[in-house]
Amino acid sequence: SYSLFDNLAIFSSNIFKGEAHFSHVHFKQKVAFKGKPFEEEQRRNRFEGFTNFYHAQFDRQIDFSGIEFTSAYNGKEQGNFSHIDFADEVDFDSSPYQSDMFPVSPEIDLRHALQPAITFNDTTFRKRARFKGEAYEKLQLGLVSLANVDMTNIEFYNVDWLREGSLFKRRAIIDEVILGSKGKNEQEKLYKNRFEKAFSIYNELKKNFESHLSFNEASDFFIGSMEVERKRCLYCENSSFIDKMRSIGGFGIYKLLNLYGESTFLPLFWSIVIIFIFAFIRAAYGICSDSDLACPCECSFQEKLFDSLAAYFQFPRNDDLWIDTLERIVSLPILGMAIKSFASTKRFESIR
């Protein structure tokens, strides 16, 4: 710690068995953590304990491709790259190797996690920073936190994240997962700034992937930001009653009906459900749009289904029936969401 490197610094295939501290170190020339990717035993610089680069300063290019965190994730921080000033280009490139750079397999349930495995909080990337996985093995960033980082200069190639969601799986960040952690002291409160941090990360990731035309990923990160906001309204310590109602009646319904505007399947699903529900109501009450029939009971279920279909799409076959008016009102928000989903330009890239 607090050292100065005036010349080129190369770390080659070292093993750091205990804690490794590079905090407040100033590297004036190029730095490379090199491994031996083409040998039978592809050795990297292995960090087996906590590694700290906090507040280090790199004036020239830095290559972190030859590093590897070998310990299984136990819910606590294993590598701190926070508050670093990268003045030149940075590489986290795992493509020459056949093993993971960052921790991947947690030894605990993530719902009991306390901290991200690797943190880049408040780190500055003044030039290009590249996170790159190999052709057949993605670089896992699911346990990495990029809080308060401007991602304008960051490039992601063949990387992957955690997965959240029940019916629709999406990419997620560890900062969202630990918001619901059960491993914390029961007295610890969920304050607003923790939700804002996760929301900000999702927003930066969404903008980054949209700028590179990666709309599937951007869509997942937008859903993640909306989920964080919903959870903030519901679980945050200082949430008001109105916030909780917004979470359930606003965000909850929007998610259920259309996955926050990112699903083309859900509006179609709910449209079919509503059309059949109103067709069964017509059958139960003997309602039929054909006024020429002597008895509405003579109207077949197929006719009632066509009546419901026409009313749902705002073209009722009989303007005088109350059930047509009700169905038209119910269908309006779902039709609006469906039009928004299909009209969005990124739907051509991301179809759920």
Side-chain angles (χ1 to χ4, degrees), residues 8 20 33 49 139 167-168 175 182 272 307 338:
L8 172 68
F33 285 82
L139 174 61
L167 182 59
F168 297 101
D175 302 81
K182 298 177 182 178
I272 294 173
D307 288 346

Side-chain angles (χ1 to χ4, degrees), residues 92-317:
F92 292 89
D93 183 359
S94 69
S95 58
Y97 303 89
Q98 295 179 356
S99 58
D100 295 301
M101 176 182 294
F102 298 125
V104 176
S105 303
E107 61 183 20
I108 65 168
D109 189 328
L110 289 180
R111 292 174 296 178
H112 298 271
L114 298 173
Q115 299 169 307
I118 307 294
T119 57
F120 287 85
N121 301 346
D122 298 285
T123 288
T124 302
F125 297 97
R126 300 187 184 276
K127 293 187 178 179
R128 177 192 59 76
R130 183 175 59 174
F131 292 84
K132 182 181 179 182
E134 62 172 308
Y136 302 104
E137 188 70 29
K138 294 184 177 182
L139 174 61
Q140 299 295 324
L141 297 179
L143 302 177
V144 175
S145 174
L146 292 159
N148 301 321
V149 173
D150 183 349
M151 301 186 196
T152 304
N153 294 325
I154 298 181
E155 299 174 1
F156 298 100
Y157 298 98
N158 203 30
V159 299
D160 204 7
W161 313 82
L162 298 177
R163 289 292 189 270
E164 282 285 293
S166 50
L167 182 59
F168 297 101
K169 293 292 183 181
R170 60 177 172 85
R171 297 165 182 84
I173 58 176
I174 185 64
D175 302 81
E176 178 195 355
V177 176
I178 62 178
L179 285 175
S181 172
K182 298 177 182 178
K184 299 178 176 60
N185 189 302
E186 291 295 329
Q187 302 301 318
E188 186 175 346
K189 306 299 182 182
L190 289 173
Y191 290 108
K192 185 177 179 181
N193 63 328
R194 293 181 56 198
F195 291 92
E196 290 176 342
K197 181 177 74 171
F199 181 88
S200 176
I201 297 172
Y202 272 130
N203 193 42
E204 284 289 330
L205 286 170
K206 180 181 77 72
K207 290 190 296 183
N208 181 288
F209 279 87
E210 280 184 338
S211 68
H212 292 89
L213 306 182
S214 298
F215 296 111
N216 278 322
E217 291 85 349
S219 175
D220 282 350
F221 295 135
F222 172 74
I223 295 170
S225 68
M226 297 296 286
E227 275 292 276
V228 169
E229 185 64 11
R230 181 184 68 83
K231 293 174 183 177
R232 182 194 67 79
C233 292
L234 188 61
Y235 300 120
C236 188
E237 173 63 19
N238 54 359
S239 292
S240 65
F241 175 77
I242 294 178
D243 285 333
K244 296 184 185 301
M245 290 300 100
R246 282 180 59 212
S247 173
I248 299 171
F251 288 102
I253 294 176
Y254 193 19
K255 175 185 177 182
L256 181 65
L257 293 182
N258 200 23
L259 201 61
Y260 305 114
E262 296 298 302
S263 173
T264 52
F265 167 76
L266 283 176
L268 177 63
F269 169 78
W270 289 117
S271 296
I272 294 173
V273 169
I274 291 173
I275 289 171
F276 272 91
I277 287 177
F278 276 90
F280 281 114
I281 293 176
R282 294 169 193 273
Y285 286 90
I287 302 173
C288 187
S289 63
D290 192 348
S291 57
D292 295 332
L293 294 175
C295 176
C297 59
E298 297 178 6
C299 186
S300 67
F301 181 78
Q302 184 177 358
E303 282 294 317
K304 293 178 172 62
L305 189 60
F306 281 126
D307 288 346
S308 181
L309 182 66
Y312 185 86
F313 287 102
Q314 308 299 311
F315 295 100
R317 302 169 78 180

